[in-house]
Structure formats: structure tokens, C-alpha cells
Amino acid sequence: MNPTPAILAENLVKRYPVVRGFRDLVRRPFERRTTTALDGLDLRVERGRAFCLLGPNGAGKTTLIKILATLVLPDGGRASVDGHDVERHPGPVKNAVGYAINDERSFYWRLTGRQNLEFFGALYGLRGPARDRRIDEVLRLTRLEAAADLRFNAYSTGMRQMLAFARALLADASILLVDEPTRSLDPQAADRIGSFLRGELVEGEGKTVFWATHDLAEAAEFAHEIAVIGRGRIRLQGTVASLTGEGRMSLRQVYEKAVGDPPVSR
Amino acid sequence: MSGGSRTTALLPGRLSAFLRRDFREALTYKFSFVSSFVGILLSSATFYFVAKLVPPGTPSLGPFGGDYFSFAVVGVAFSSLLGMFQEGLSAVVRSAQVSGTLEALLVTPASIPTVLFGSSLYSLILQVFRTLLHLGVALAFFGMILGRVNGPGVLCVGVLTVLCFLGVGVLSASFILVYKTGNPFGWILGTVSGLLGGVVFPVALLPPWIRWVSSLLPVTYALDGMRKSLLASVGFAEILPDIAALAVFNIILVPASLLAFRLAVRKAKKDGTLSHF
């Protein structure tokens, strides 16, 4: 068993500059105001788990995922993915992680699903017959074989989300980062996504799925482990059973107790 | 295989993937090539008739073979090409920011320079074809007069010019990465070069009090060297001042642009605005 955790964050800090108006810039040109998104966050995610990061809007979920995907640099502390530091070794991190971006605008709408995967597959370093085989595999896994040669603009919202998973799986990365995958999906489609992530990817393929959501029911149903983030820190972490005291409290009660005010401005 | 050599080995495959992507997208816009070809015909026709107002042997055209139509065609065709090199990189960054694909590109193991250059490669190659087509149309249908072409001169001026304008392009892309719009490099060089860089009239016609500005613009030397090499039947020695000036621009611009790009990527990642628009 590999003792290195899939994801490790220690005292992670991220502050974003606040956009200021012209009047403010003239009055106080050298002042730098920031909003704290992550405020000394500590987190450890073991391998082969469906891990849900629960938190309200603005709690820091997307910031944490973007740091783990090397799109944002932290201001303090450190984070590593698959044992690689995200700031010092972004290359190996990118090879270890598949980030399922749920923005449908992140695809080329006039290309087919397969053509999109061929393009991104090449960027992941796949070539020739190996690339084509891998594309067939991820299309089968995401049940998009029949729609593979349709243009992306003909896909339904659920199919677009599945193609985002297919793209993130192209490189066969061991860790999948997923940010609110069921946002804007109907309940049945959301259930299919949840079953797919835990059933197919974690239990079937042995991957680690790190999954940000604010849907308590989704987290309770599909996650092996949950962390609640609030005001830029992990407030609670554990299995649903341990967090709810084997059912003595509801997950909603636990969540509301853990999450306080929105992120603070400094 | 080490990380660096693996990345280098994967580079041709990644660049050809960008080319294939853009070619496939272009195929879905069926009339774009036709409209581009019609545009070239109309531009050539316009300068063909304007050239009838300029008598052959006009002194300011002497160093460039003496024919205004040929002078203007080279200026317009190559300034469009240089404009693409100058603006192409920032345009693809902006387009990927706005369309929402930038984040998906940047989470792949492809390096940011690969993404940047690969995304603009199709447009750059297409613009090279358009430039050749422009010259071909002018030669075949409008009587453009070529001199004894100085091949090494064309090659040398061409390579130095492309590097120089790619440098400006990288500077522009760096600005767009951080500030999103309002790229000053493209605006200053694009607008000022059109007027003062000798695109459709010789720099010698400018009043002396403003002519010095032309000497600060790389396009002045690029067009001067290219016209002399194509139209004026001159030897390599006569375009050496242009080559030297372009080399100086390269010595300054290439390292400055690479440094600016590295700093821009770091700032955008620090501010969390890499894919914002």
C-alpha cells in the first residue's frame, strides 16, 4: 500500500487582491486589500476514496481545487498531490491529476466529442493507436460511445458533464478533482453522476475522487469521507457515521454547526 | 526519459493537435477562406488603381524599384503578416479566456508556451499563405514587378522579423494574461506602424520632425529590407543596416518578452485570475 496520501494540505493560505475603484486607487494608491479564501487549511485525503468537500458558496472549495490543479498559487503553507508539491513541481502534479472542469464552455463546441478528446489526449501526451484506444475506453466508461461523433453543441447538459469526466480520465490519472459536478443537473442525472464517480471510478478503477459540493444528500450518499470547509479552514473531517455520531445528529445539523460566517475581508 | 526530453518529444504531437483542432473548426466555417480571398483581390485592385496616380520613377520610390503598386503590395501583405505575429498570441489568449477553454488547456501537462504557440500556430501559418497568395495575385493579375530577388536577404530579414514580432506578440500576451484587455503594445505598434512604418508610402516622405519615430519601429526595417530584397535587385550588403537594426530589436525584445511572460503567468496564478476575462 502506498503510504503517501493522495492529497495533503498543511497550513494552506490564499488571499486574493480586492479589486478597487478609481477613487480608492487615487486616495490610497499603495494600500493592498485582500480577501482571505483559505486561512491555514489542513487536510489529508487517503488514496482510493470518494472524498467530498462540503461547504457554502465562498468557503474556499474552488480555490482549494484550483491550487491542487496548479491553476492558482498559494500565499502560504504547502499542498501536495500524489507526493508532489503543487508550487515547486507542477509538472508531476498535472500528470497525477485529472481536473473535471464542469464549465461546458471549456470544450470546442463545433467539434465532436471524439475530436475534443483527440485534441486534449494529445496535450496529455497520448499518441496514435494508444490514444485512440484510451479514447474508446473513456467513452465506454462514461457511456458516451453512441454520442462520440456528434458535435459537442448537440450534447445535453448531463452528456457534457460526462464528457468532462472522460477528458479528465484520458491520462489515467490516479486522482480526479471534481468541482460541483451535479450543479444544474436534474436529480436523476445527478444520481447517475454520483454512482459513476463512486461506483465506476473509485470502486471500479481504484481512483481517488476529490469532490467539492454543497449538496449534503449527495455527499451523504456517495462519499467514503467528508470534510466541511468554512471560512477557509477545515472544520470537520470524517465518515458520515462518525460525524453524525452514528445517526444521533443529522448531517445538516453537523454541517450548520461547523459552518459559520462567510469568508472575512482584511 | 527525463521530463524535459519527454516534453520535447511530445511537442510535435501537441503542436499538430492544435493545428488539427483549428483546421477542423475552420472547416465548419465554410465561407471564411472565400471571403479572405475576395478581400485580397479587392485590396490588390484598390492599390492597382491608386498606383495609376503615382508616376513611375517617383524619387522616393527609387530605392524600392520605382513602381508604387509593387511597393504597396509588399507593404500591405507583409504588414498583415507581421500584425498577425504581433497580435496572434494575445488574441488566442484572449479568445481562450473569453470562450472558457484556457483553464482546460492549462491543467494539461502541456507547458504554457506550448499552449500559447500551439493555439496561434494555425492562424500564423494561414497568414503566411495569405501573404504568399497576396503576392501571387498581385504578380499574376495586376502586373507587380519583382526585381532580381535576393533570396538570402529575404530569408534573413524574414527570420529576424518573425522573431522580433513574436517577441512583441509574447509581450502582448503577457499583458492580456494579467490585465485581460487594452493591450498597449499592439495598439502602439499597430496604429503607429501603419502610419509611420512605411506600409503604404515611403518613410522618406514624412516630415523630418517625425521621421525619427519611424527609426524606433521594427516594421520600418522589416519592410525596407524586404522591399529592397524583393523589388530593388540589391545585394546583401545593402540590406545590412536593416538586418543590424532588426538584430538589435531581437536582442532586446526576445529575452524581455520571455521574462515578462514568466512574470505574467506567476502574477495571474497568484491573483487567481489566470482564466478570468
Side-chain angles (χ1 to χ4, degrees):
Chain A
M1 188 180 160
N2 190 337
T4 311
I7 293 168
L8 185 66
E10 293 171 317
N11 197 24
L12 201 60
V13 175
K14 183 64 210 172
R15 297 190 185 95
Y16 291 118
V18 173
V19 178
R20 297 194 291 156
F22 279 112
R23 187 186 295 176
D24 211 20
L25 278 172
V26 171
R27 282 183 183 168
R28 289 176 287 272
F30 301 110
E31 189 183 79
R32 190 170 184 271
R33 266 188 272 162
T34 58
T35 297
T36 301
L38 300 180
D39 191 15
L41 179 140
D42 293 303
L43 180 70
R44 183 184 175 99
V45 178
E46 301 300 341
R47 290 168 183 279
R49 314 279 280 169
F51 189 99
C52 263
L53 183 67
L54 269 173
N57 293 331
K61 301 188 298 292
T62 301
T63 295
L64 178 57
I65 282 193
K66 288 195 173 182
I67 287 175
L68 298 174
T70 76
L71 290 170
V72 169
L73 288 172
D75 293 313
R78 61 182 291 272
S80 63
V81 176
D82 201 25
H84 306 291
D85 188 284
V86 294
E87 193 169 1
R88 285 184 294 155
H89 305 294
V93 171
K94 287 178 176 185
N95 285 320
V97 157
Y99 178 21
I101 297 170
N102 71 352
D103 184 351
E104 59 189 21
R105 297 184 313 124
S106 67
F107 284 98
Y108 299 96
W109 284 47
R110 297 178 77 88
L111 301 185
T112 66
R114 186 186 298 278
Q115 288 171 341
N116 268 287
L117 294 180
E118 283 172 2
F119 169 66
F120 284 103
L123 299 194
Y124 280 107
L126 299 170
R127 285 191 287 189
R131 183 193 62 187
D132 296 339
R133 272 198 305 277
R134 185 63 191 155
I135 287 172
D136 287 339
E137 280 170 22
V138 296
L139 285 170
R140 183 178 44 74
L141 201 60
T142 51
R143 299 189 188 123
L144 284 174
E145 291 151 301
D149 296 313
L150 293 178
R151 272 195 193 178
F152 182 76
N153 58 17
Y155 279 30
S156 67
T157 308
M159 289 159 78
R160 288 172 185 170
Q161 183 61 66
M162 291 308 270
L163 194 68
F165 291 134
R167 177 174 61 187
L169 291 166
L170 276 172
D172 206 12
S174 59
I175 299 158
L176 198 70
L177 304 176
V178 190
D179 193 2
E180 298 187 13
T182 56
R183 188 178 64 188
S184 73
L185 292 182
D186 64 66
Q188 283 177 318
D191 273 353
R192 277 199 298 276
I193 298 275
S195 302
F196 168 74
L197 289 175
R198 175 153 173 172
E200 304 275 346
L201 298 188
V202 178
E203 286 161 9
E205 303 269 315
K207 297 190 184 301
T208 307
V209 174
F210 185 81
W211 178 350
T213 182
H214 49 227
D215 187 326
L216 299 181
E218 184 179 293
E221 187 171 354
F222 297 112
H224 287 115
E225 196 175 353
I226 289 172
V228 179
I229 184 172
R231 286 172 292 169
R233 287 187 184 195
I234 299 297
R235 302 289 162 179
L236 290 170
Q237 184 175 345
T239 61
V240 175
S242 68
L243 293 177
T244 57
E246 303 295 340
R248 284 193 293 277
M249 292 173 80
S250 71
L251 188 57
R252 175 168 293 279
Q253 286 172 315
V254 172
Y255 175 82
E256 284 175 356
K257 199 174 164 190
V259 175
D261 299 327
V264 289
S265 289
R266 290 183 182 174
Chain B
M1 196 184 272
S2 73
S5 57
R6 178 175 153 75
T7 303
T8 308
L10 293 172
L11 190 60
R14 285 177 174 153
L15 293 181
S16 70
F18 278 105
L19 278 178
R20 203 163 39 247
R21 176 202 69 182
D22 291 337
F23 181 66
R24 281 170 164 169
E25 281 209 311
L27 282 180
T28 70
Y29 296 101
K30 295 184 174 54
F31 292 103
S32 64
F33 182 77
V34 175
S35 62
S36 162
F37 183 69
V38 170
I40 286 171
L41 271 180
L42 292 178
S43 164
S44 298
T46 303
F47 283 103
Y48 175 77
F49 291 111
V50 170
K52 289 186 180 298
L53 297 170
V54 185
T58 301
S60 58
L61 294 172
F64 310 107
D67 174 49
Y68 177 70
F69 176 70
S70 308
F71 176 93
V73 164
V74 172
V76 172
F78 281 95
S79 69
S80 302
L81 179 65
L82 301 183
M84 178 56 75
F85 278 88
Q86 183 179 299
E87 294 287 320
L89 300 181
S90 58
V92 296
V93 170
R94 184 75 191 134
S95 161
Q97 281 171 339
V98 173
S99 70
T101 52
L102 188 61
E103 219 166 56
L105 296 171
L106 296 180
V107 296
T108 69
S111 67
I112 295 180
T114 302
V115 169
L116 184 68
F117 185 64
S119 297
S120 51
L121 193 56
Y122 179 80
S123 305
L124 298 179
I125 290 174
L126 194 63
Q127 193 60 43
V128 169
F129 275 114
R130 280 196 191 123
T131 302
L132 293 174
L133 186 66
H134 203 146
L135 296 177
V137 165
L139 277 166
F141 302 115
F142 295 97
M144 178 184 171
I145 304 162
L146 279 184
R148 183 170 33 81
V149 175
N150 178 349
V154 169
L155 191 68
C156 200
V157 171
V159 168
L160 285 173
T161 303
V162 163
L163 282 177
C164 180
F165 278 79
L166 276 178
V168 178
V170 173
L171 275 180
S172 301
S174 310
F175 190 89
I176 293 293
L177 267 180
V178 175
Y179 298 103
K180 315 305 172 192
T181 73
N183 159 27
F185 305 103
W187 184 84
I188 292 169
L189 281 169
T191 313
V192 177
S193 296
L195 178 66
L196 304 177
V199 176
V200 291
F201 58 85
V203 171
L205 294 180
L206 289 168
W209 60 267
I210 201 169
R211 204 179 301 157
W212 67 272
V213 179
S214 302
S215 64
L216 301 178
L217 300 171
V219 70
T220 306
Y221 304 98
L223 291 180
D224 193 73
M226 197 54 84
R227 282 182 177 124
K228 283 176 177 165
S229 300
L230 284 173
L231 308 175
S233 306
V234 301
F236 200 79
E238 285 163 84
I239 56 165
L240 269 180
D242 293 316
I243 289 173
L246 287 170
V248 170
F249 278 116
N250 272 302
I251 289 167
I252 298 166
L253 276 173
V254 172
S257 63
L258 293 177
L259 178 66
F261 190 71
R262 211 167 55 184
L263 294 174
V265 170
R266 184 162 179 86
K267 176 160 175 55
K269 282 190 171 188
K270 269 283 180 198
D271 292 350
T273 61
L274 199 54
S275 60
H276 288 189
F277 60 93

Coordinates of all heavy atoms in Angstrom, one line a residue, chain A residues 1-6 44 46-49:
Chain A
M1 N 0.8 -1.2 0.0 CA 0.0 0.0 0.0 C 0.9 1.2 0.0 O 1.9 1.3 0.7 CB -0.9 0.0 1.3 CG -1.9 1.1 1.2 SD -2.9 0.9 2.8 CE -3.6 2.6 2.8
N2 N 0.5 2.2 -0.8 CA 1.3 3.5 -0.9 C 1.0 4.4 0.3 O -0.2 4.8 0.4 CB 1.0 4.2 -2.3 CG 1.9 5.3 -2.5 OD1 2.5 5.9 -1.6 ND2 2.0 5.7 -3.8
P3 N 2.0 4.7 1.1 CA 1.7 5.5 2.3 C 1.5 7.0 2.0 O 1.0 7.7 2.9 CB 2.9 5.2 3.2 CG 4.0 5.0 2.3 CD 3.4 4.3 1.1
T4 N 1.9 7.4 0.9 CA 1.8 8.8 0.5 C 0.3 9.1 0.3 O -0.4 8.5 -0.5 CB 2.5 9.2 -0.8 OG1 3.8 8.6 -0.7 CG2 2.6 10.7 -1.0
P5 N -0.2 10.2 1.0 CA -1.6 10.5 0.8 C -1.9 11.0 -0.6 O -0.9 11.5 -1.2 CB -1.9 11.5 1.8 CG -0.6 12.1 2.2 CD 0.4 11.1 2.0
A6 N -3.1 10.9 -1.1 CA -3.4 11.4 -2.4 C -3.3 12.9 -2.4 O -2.7 13.5 -3.3 CB -4.8 11.0 -2.8
R44 N -6.0 16.0 4.8 CA -5.3 14.8 4.3 C -6.3 13.9 3.7 O -7.3 13.6 4.4 CB -4.6 14.1 5.5 CG -3.7 12.9 5.1 CD -3.2 12.2 6.3 NE -2.5 11.0 6.0 CZ -1.2 10.9 5.8 NH1 -0.4 11.9 6.0 NH2 -0.6 9.7 5.4
E46 N -6.7 10.2 1.9 CA -6.1 9.0 1.6 C -6.5 8.5 0.1 O -7.5 8.9 -0.4 CB -6.4 7.9 2.6 CG -6.0 8.3 4.0 CD -4.5 8.5 4.2 OE1 -3.7 8.1 3.4 OE2 -4.2 9.1 5.2
R47 N -5.7 7.6 -0.4 CA -5.9 7.1 -1.7 C -7.2 6.2 -1.8 O -7.5 5.5 -0.8 CB -4.7 6.2 -2.2 CG -3.5 7.1 -2.4 CD -2.3 6.2 -2.6 NE -1.2 7.2 -2.7 CZ -0.9 7.8 -3.9 NH1 -1.5 7.5 -5.0 NH2 0.1 8.6 -3.9
G48 N -7.7 6.1 -3.0 CA -8.8 5.2 -3.3 C -10.1 5.5 -2.6 O -10.9 4.6 -2.2
R49 N -10.3 6.8 -2.3 CA -11.5 7.2 -1.5 C -12.4 8.1 -2.4 O -11.9 8.9 -3.2 CB -11.2 8.0 -0.3 CG -10.1 7.5 0.6 CD -10.6 6.4 1.5 NE -11.2 6.9 2.6 CZ -11.9 6.1 3.5 NH1 -12.1 4.9 3.2 NH2 -12.5 6.6 4.6

